[in-house]
């Protein structure tokens, strides 16, 4: 099975909201996810995440810490997704690759149709980091 390694940004704001994006392309078009992308050769996960968010959202982020690494088998590939808690350092998200985005409050995390691997992260956020979202 094909293996894909990616990074994802769990971007939060001062109000404790989490930034979610809706895919605008590919097999999983319209699914909701945490923004990010593939790690290029010779990149660290942190470097890849900063590059991807700048490319996808024209926004600079500051990475706070690794929250979790999700291993998920999709029908066509195995995904390894490193998820980092982040906040915006400069800029405002501009959707260059996504069709929609939302800032979600704690009680709204289930309001979007998350992709399966991202759902794992949402469940962990709700269970382990509820204090961050209050």
């Amino acid at each position: 099975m094909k293996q894909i390694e990616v990074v994802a940004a769990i971007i939060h704001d001062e109000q404790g909201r989490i930034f979610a994006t809706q895919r605008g392309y590919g097999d999983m078009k319209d699914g909701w996810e945490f923004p990010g992308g593939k790690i290029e050769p010779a990149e660290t996960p942190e470097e890849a995440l900063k590059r991807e968010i700048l490319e996808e959202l024209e926004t600079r982020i500051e990475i706070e810490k690794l929250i979790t690494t999700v291993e998920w088998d999709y029908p066509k590939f195995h995904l390894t997704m490193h998820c980092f808690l982040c906040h915006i350092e400069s800029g405002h998200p501009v959707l260059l690759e996504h069709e929609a985005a939302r800032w979600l409050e704690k009680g709204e995390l289930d309001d979007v149709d998350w992709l399966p691997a991202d759902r794992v992260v949402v469940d962990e956020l709700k269970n382990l980091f509820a204090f961050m979202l209050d």
Side-chain angles (χ1 to χ4, degrees), residues 11-12 50 53-54 58-64 86-93 103:
I11 302 171
H12 69 94
K50 288 183 176 190
I53 298 304
L54 188 58
E58 290 186 353
T59 303
R60 295 190 187 282
I61 57 168
E62 184 170 322
I63 297 172
E64 297 172 24
C86 311
H87 64 268
I88 293 175
E89 183 177 28
S90 65
H92 300 281
W103 284 100

Side-chain angles (χ1 to χ4, degrees), residues 16-33:
R17 299 178 304 171
I18 300 292
F19 190 69
T21 54
Q22 188 177 29
R23 287 180 68 91
Y25 57 91
D27 289 344
M28 294 181 267
K29 184 181 181 313
D30 298 328
W32 286 81
E33 65 181 357

Side-chain angles (χ1 to χ4, degrees), residues 16 69 80:
T69 296
T80 300

Side-chain angles (χ1 to χ4, degrees), residues 31-76:
W32 286 81
E33 65 181 357
F34 295 103
K38 291 182 183 173
I39 301 170
E40 298 292 336
E43 266 185 331
T44 67
E46 294 85 353
E47 290 168 338
L49 189 56
K50 288 183 176 190
R51 175 187 52 75
E52 285 285 347
I53 298 304
L54 188 58
E55 288 174 2
E56 291 181 7
L57 300 172
E58 290 186 353
T59 303
R60 295 190 187 282
I61 57 168
E62 184 170 322
I63 297 172
E64 297 172 24
K65 63 181 176 180
L66 177 70
I67 294 291
T68 190
T69 296
V70 175
E71 301 284 345
W72 190 267
D73 287 325
Y74 283 102
K76 296 181 180 177

